[in-house]
Amino acid sequence: MRVNSLTEENYLKALLALSVTSDEVSVNDLAKHLAIKMPTVTSMMKKLAAKRLVQYESYKPIKLTKKGRQEAAGIVRKHRLTEMFLVDKMGFGWEQVHDIAEQIEHIKSPAFFDKMDELLGFPTLDPHGSPIPDKTGKIEWKHYEKLSDCKPGDKVTLSAVLNSSSDFLKFLNSRDLKLGVNLKIDSIEPFDKTITISIGKRKEVLSNLVCEKLLVEKVT
Amino acid sequence: MRVNSLTEENYLKALLALSVTSDEVSVNDLAKHLAIKMPTVTSMMKKLAAKRLVQYESYKPIKLTKKGRQEAAGIVRKHRLTEMFLVDKMGFGWEQVHDIAEQIEHIKSPAFFDKMDELLGFPTLDPHGSPIPDKTGKIEWKHYEKLSDCKPGDKVTLSAVLNSSSDFLKFLNSRDLKLGVNLKIDSIEPFDKTITISIGKRKEVLSNLVCEKLLVEKVT
DNA sequence: TTATAAAGTTAGATTGATCTAACAAATTTT
DNA sequence: AAAATTTGTTAGATCAATCTAACTTTATAA
Ligand SMILES: [Mn+2]
Ligand SMILES: [Mn+2]
Ligand SMILES: [Mn+2]
Ligand SMILES: [Mn+2]
């Protein structure tokens, strides 16, 4: 009843990720998110409930307990510190680091991650603009909005991405869309919500699917 | 039949470690080294034999195949590169890195270790003086000898340690025994082979148990 | 060279993580 | 409200990695 397995850690992380919207998570959501079958989730929920990491009763939605949320935040903290370290200290591109961090987040060594933290100067954001949870498990998102919710004429700064897959980030690289670039929304196609933006004098056309994954901050 | 599990990797590494002396390894040795029971070893040997990583027949000693030796060297390479990175690039002490490297050696990401290698300038020795296997799996030990095999009057340089446990290395730290220090053997107690050495004008008394774990190079 | 001890194997159980098939509950549609 | 669909659970199987108990082979000692 002491340390969590890699598998358990992945369930906790999934629960935390799925909680951002609804706080309560269904067996089905979890099964889909982890690409496993529902009965597997059911039995793991019983185990995690016994460890007081989740609240679980048959046929009712699942909630992380405080303890569960903290453990999950700890994993995410390790993941994001790692990504930051890989980019800032080792010279990887932001599109290369997620998969490595998925593995390193399970390393058991507070000293290792404390050292990363220190060498990085105690960062609060990861290379994708996501907040790095603090040691108490607090996760503070800035008040960003989705590019897909902006209006024509809005001037914004690209501040975070909601998808860290290599494919998506390579796409952004190919258009020189990095965190911090300033964009102006020129127009939105009513039919499919495709957005045309200006970056300096360059223009780009971005599908709604892409814009939903881009978080921006209004500039005055 | 593609990728090896963490458990399999640990068996291969153990086999390689035990092969330094005898090339052939017994079920018993392996069981002791891994702190598991013999039947567990037997069944794993069948699995590794099926994967052509070891040569195994009932009641006969076990040998790594060429493929097995290469895989094992790959893990050791990752282990030692990691230790070097932790010490040289992250500021850990040589007594802190073995346990972290035991975990990181199982990370699946050639790019990650290639980057370490590059940032370190392609080192050939780890922080404990052990050779870092090259990418082809070749491991080249310098011609060191054990301090316990030296004679009174010998002048030597401490070049490697055969035990990377935190306790042992903390003991060496407490006596300022780092790799590269020059020692002179003053005398050897015939009864228990305890050795008295001089380091500059300082004198230390080292038990045979300690001296067997210290590899030195004669200086002229 | 027989007896004893050590080393090794086989058989069967356990635990964790997963699956499929069958059934049950809850939700949505009609 | 009944039917259909979706969601969730139970039961039982599988696979990897481990164990213990019982047995066999090999090595060592008397
Ligand atoms: Mn990530
Ligand atoms: Mn990230
Ligand atoms: Mn080591
Ligand atoms: Mn080492």
Side-chain angles (χ1 to χ4, degrees):
Chain A
M1 192 87 152
R2 201 51 263 307
V3 73
N4 305 310
S5 71
L6 180 148
T7 309
E8 290 168 336
E9 290 187 346
N10 282 336
Y11 277 88
L12 292 174
K13 208 169 47 125
L15 248 349
L16 185 66
L18 293 170
S19 298
V20 290
T21 33
S22 49
D23 182 59
E24 294 183 332
V25 178
S26 71
V27 169
N28 207 265
D29 289 347
L30 208 38
K32 278 178 184 145
H33 191 261
L34 294 170
I36 57 182
K37 304 299 177 182
M38 284 197 292
T40 312
V41 172
T42 298
S43 62
M44 182 56 85
M45 287 311 105
K46 289 175 180 170
K47 195 196 299 189
L48 294 183
K51 291 176 100 172
R52 310 252 168 238
L53 294 165
V54 303
Q55 239 177 271
Y56 167 74
E57 286 170 280
S58 286
Y59 296 107
K60 298 231 200 95
I62 302 153
K63 288 184 66 171
L64 281 170
T65 62
K66 187 174 180 181
K67 191 179 160 205
R69 208 171 323 106
Q70 279 176 345
E71 301 265 342
I75 317 295
V76 172
R77 177 175 162 79
K78 293 194 281 177
H79 182 104
R80 293 185 180 159
L81 278 174
T82 300
E83 288 186 339
M84 203 61 187
F85 188 86
L86 291 170
V87 168
D88 270 27
K89 299 296 169 189
M90 296 188 73
F92 283 98
W94 71 340
E95 79 285 0
Q96 302 179 284
V97 297
H98 177 78
D99 291 351
I100 302 177
E102 282 292 305
Q103 300 180 65
I104 295 196
E105 68 189 6
H106 301 290
I107 299 292
K108 260 77 174 178
S109 170
F112 180 55
F113 295 99
D114 284 351
K115 189 69 89 175
M116 278 189 189
D117 197 20
E118 186 194 322
L119 291 170
L120 289 166
F122 311 101
T124 58
L125 295 176
D126 86 355
H128 310 105
S130 302
I132 298 173
D134 73 17
K135 284 189 164 189
T136 74
K138 190 175 295 168
I139 308 178
E140 212 156 349
W141 273 97
K142 296 253 179 71
H143 7 73
Y144 296 141
E145 64 184 309
K146 291 183 182 163
L147 181 57
S148 53
D149 294 334
C150 293
K151 300 282 160 281
D154 287 356
K155 291 177 178 183
V156 300
T157 304
L158 180 56
S159 300
V161 293
L162 288 179
N163 180 322
S164 302
S165 73
S166 189
D167 283 349
F168 180 63
L169 298 174
K170 278 185 197 155
F171 164 78
L172 297 183
N173 285 345
S174 74
R175 311 292 151 108
D176 249 303
L177 288 166
K178 313 183 215 291
L179 296 194
V181 295
N182 291 303
L183 318 173
K184 191 172 133 287
I185 288 90
D186 293 331
S187 63
I188 305 177
E189 171 58 43
F191 175 63
D192 64 358
K193 309 234 186 302
T194 291
I195 295 185
T196 303
I197 58 173
S198 299
I199 310 156
K201 41 191 58 170
R202 185 160 49 90
K203 292 200 183 295
E204 294 290 350
V205 178
L206 301 176
S207 74
N208 183 252
L209 210 87
V210 165
C211 293
E212 279 186 327
K213 300 297 180 195
L214 299 178
L215 294 185
V216 300
E217 225 170 344
K218 284 240 167 66
V219 305
T220 46
Chain B
M1 192 83 151
R2 198 54 262 306
V3 72
N4 304 311
S5 70
L6 179 149
T7 309
E8 290 168 336
E9 290 187 347
N10 282 336
Y11 278 89
L12 293 174
K13 208 169 48 125
L15 249 347
L16 185 65
L18 293 169
S19 297
V20 289
T21 32
S22 50
D23 183 58
E24 293 184 335
V25 178
S26 72
V27 170
N28 208 265
D29 290 347
L30 207 39
K32 278 178 183 145
H33 191 255
L34 294 170
I36 58 182
K37 306 297 177 183
M38 284 197 292
T40 313
V41 172
T42 300
S43 62
M44 182 57 85
M45 287 312 104
K46 289 175 181 170
K47 196 197 299 190
L48 294 182
K51 292 175 99 172
R52 311 249 167 243
L53 294 166
V54 304
Q55 240 178 270
Y56 168 74
E57 286 170 281
S58 286
Y59 298 104
K60 297 232 201 93
I62 303 153
K63 287 184 66 170
L64 280 171
T65 62
K66 186 172 183 185
K67 192 179 160 206
R69 208 172 320 107
Q70 278 175 343
E71 301 265 342
I75 317 293
V76 172
R77 177 175 162 79
K78 293 194 281 178
H79 181 105
R80 294 183 180 161
L81 278 174
T82 299
E83 289 187 338
M84 203 58 188
F85 188 85
L86 292 170
V87 169
D88 270 28
K89 298 298 169 188
M90 294 187 74
F92 283 99
W94 70 340
E95 79 285 3
Q96 303 178 283
V97 298
H98 176 79
D99 291 351
I100 302 176
E102 282 291 305
Q103 301 179 63
I104 294 196
E105 68 190 5
H106 302 290
I107 298 290
K108 260 75 174 178
S109 169
F112 180 55
F113 296 99
D114 284 351
K115 188 70 85 172
M116 277 189 190
D117 197 21
E118 185 195 322
L119 291 170
L120 288 166
F122 312 102
T124 59
L125 295 175
D126 87 355
H128 311 106
S130 303
I132 297 173
D134 73 17
K135 283 190 164 189
T136 75
K138 191 175 295 168
I139 307 179
E140 212 156 347
W141 273 97
K142 296 252 179 70
H143 5 74
Y144 295 142
E145 64 183 309
K146 292 185 181 162
L147 181 55
S148 52
D149 294 335
C150 293
K151 301 281 159 278
D154 285 356
K155 293 179 177 182
V156 301
T157 303
L158 180 55
S159 299
V161 294
L162 287 180
N163 179 323
S164 302
S165 73
S166 188
D167 284 349
F168 181 63
L169 298 175
K170 278 184 198 157
F171 164 78
L172 297 183
N173 285 345
S174 74
R175 311 291 152 110
D176 251 302
L177 288 166
K178 314 185 214 291
L179 295 193
V181 294
N182 290 304
L183 319 173
K184 190 174 132 284
I185 287 86
D186 295 331
S187 63
I188 304 178
E189 170 60 44
F191 176 61
D192 63 359
K193 308 233 189 303
T194 290
I195 295 184
T196 303
I197 57 173
S198 298
I199 311 156
K201 39 191 59 171
R202 183 159 51 89
K203 291 204 183 294
E204 294 289 350
V205 178
L206 301 176
S207 73
N208 182 254
L209 209 86
V210 165
C211 293
E212 278 186 328
K213 299 297 180 195
L214 298 178
L215 294 185
V216 300
E217 224 169 347
K218 285 242 167 63
V219 304
T220 45

